[in-house]
Amino acid sequence: QVQLVESGGGLVQPGGSLRLSCAASGIIFSIYTMNWYRQAPGKQRELVAAITSGARTNYADSVKGRFTISRDNAKNTLYLQMNSLKPEDTAVYYCNAWWRKDYDYWGQGTQVTVSS
């Protein structure tokens, strides 16, 4: 019933940009903290960016100044604008919705590859 569907991934050259989207259904989207995580090959999954129900944001140091997380509650959609992409940004990017215990959901992920 709950679905988080990521889109917007793909292949981009270093220095390029992508915008990821996460379309949510089956939840009261506006009350959830929404997060983007990523996992690169051989690496642990890491939190990239978060945005609370009150629109407070935080970012991993590695992406600060390059990535922007935002949400459109009217569209039940989360976004991640990624600029000045680097090869080390290559990963599968996952959308996560969290409210409290037992209200924690994940998308299937979208591949981002930064390569020349």
Side-chain angles (χ1 to χ4, degrees):
Q1 195 68 20
V2 176
Q3 285 194 328
L4 303 175
V5 181
E6 301 97 335
S7 61
L11 175 64
V12 65
Q13 292 184 338
S17 297
L18 285 172
R19 190 172 83 153
L20 305 184
S21 298
C22 171
S25 59
I27 62 171
I28 305 173
F29 181 82
S30 61
I31 72 172
Y32 277 74
T33 292
M34 301 297 299
N35 309 289
W36 287 102
Y37 287 79
R38 68 185 181 188
Q39 188 165 27
K43 304 288 187 180
Q44 195 163 8
R45 186 177 297 183
E46 65 171 340
L47 179 65
V48 176
I51 183 166
T52 70
S53 61
R56 294 169 61 188
T57 61
N58 61 62
Y59 299 90
D61 287 343
S62 59
V63 308
K64 200 167 297 182
R66 300 188 297 120
F67 290 11
T68 303
I69 189 170
S70 62
R71 64 194 297 160
D72 187 338
N73 289 342
K75 296 181 179 179
N76 286 1
T77 302
L78 174 74
Y79 303 99
L80 185 67
Q81 179 66 47
M82 304 186 294
N83 298 326
S84 302
L85 283 160
K86 304 175 180 180
E88 50 262 47
D89 296 318
T90 296
V92 177
Y93 284 72
Y94 297 92
C95 176
N96 167 254
W98 183 90
W99 185 42
R100 57 181 65 178
K101 181 186 175 184
D102 299 325
Y103 297 90
D104 188 7
Y105 306 104
W106 293 85
Q108 293 299 305
T110 186
Q111 177 71 49
V112 171
T113 303
V114 185
S115 177
S116 59

